[in-house]
Amino acid sequence: MRSDVTLRQLDEDLLRDLLDVAVAEADPHEVMPPVAGPAGWTAERRTAFLRFHQSRSLSADPVEATYVIVVGDAVVGAARLCPLEGAKRAVEAGVWIGRSYRGSGVGGAVLSHLLTLACADGFDSLFLSTTPDNTASQRLLSALGVDVVHEGDAVTAWVDLIAAR
Ligand SMILES: CC(C)(COP(=O)(O)OP(=O)(O)OC[C@H]1O[C@@H](n2cnc3c(N)ncnc32)[C@H](O)[C@@H]1OP(=O)(O)O)[C@@H](O)C(=O)NCCC(=O)NCCS
């Protein structure tokens, strides 16, 4: 596994760096919920990206923890852990990485860090989901050695963190 990949808790300064990476290296639909309007990184989408993270992770009452992915000294993407409502001590993980860093083992290292963080935070299980066309994500799920469920447009997996402790 790559040893040059670290996660840093998001703050306002890192959020500006993260927006720069998202604009230069990712499509909006890969990194944020849909925003109406013309395609691409419009001013509205850039503002929505900042507000999305500020409201979810940087508010007084955050609903998820967001981490900036750093390779060496470079910010290259984001990862998140979002506690699942209604599921006791379960957390959902999500990741996006900038184009020029994809396919070089960063995703695998990030997932390993997220599993460690979720364990340390006291969660008992971790949920992952992707789509049938996302081969890289599915390979990450398969590598975990857990059951991967294909159902309609969703590919999902649960990781038992109690067993992993
Ligand atoms: C999905 C994503 C997080 C994976 O991270 P990554 O750093 O590219 O993945 P890795 O380099 O660690 O590779 C993981 C596995 O996928 C494979 N892989 C990577 N890119 C691939 C591609 N384009 N096509 C097929 N397989 C690919 C790797 O060979 C590896 O498989 P292996 O371990 O069996 O050899 C990253 O590609 C990404 O951010 N994509 C855009 C946003 C996204 O799809 N996020 C996830 C939403 S569920």
Side-chain angles (χ1 to χ4, degrees), residues 30-31 93-98 101-109 129-131 134-140 143:
E30 295 176 320
V31 304
V95 184
W96 66 264
I97 294 162
Y101 281 87
R102 292 177 195 167
S104 60
V106 175
S129 73
T130 187
T131 49
N134 196 326
T135 309
S137 289
Q138 287 181 66
R139 290 186 78 98
L140 288 177

Side-chain angles (χ1 to χ4, degrees), residues 9-10 52-59 62-66 80:
Q9 187 115 32
L10 186 70
F52 175 72
H53 285 298
Q54 284 161 340
S55 65
R56 293 188 66 84
S57 302
L58 301 179
S59 65
V63 297
E64 66 184 357
T66 298
R80 68 191 182 93

Side-chain angles (χ1 to χ4, degrees), residues 9-42:
Q9 187 115 32
L10 186 70
D11 62 23
E12 281 290 347
D13 287 341
L14 288 170
L15 180 56
R16 269 34 190 200
D17 296 339
L18 191 61
L19 175 61
D20 290 345
V21 173
V23 169
E25 295 264 328
D27 293 330
H29 73 85
E30 295 176 320
V31 304
M32 65 187 287
V35 172
W41 280 103
T42 59

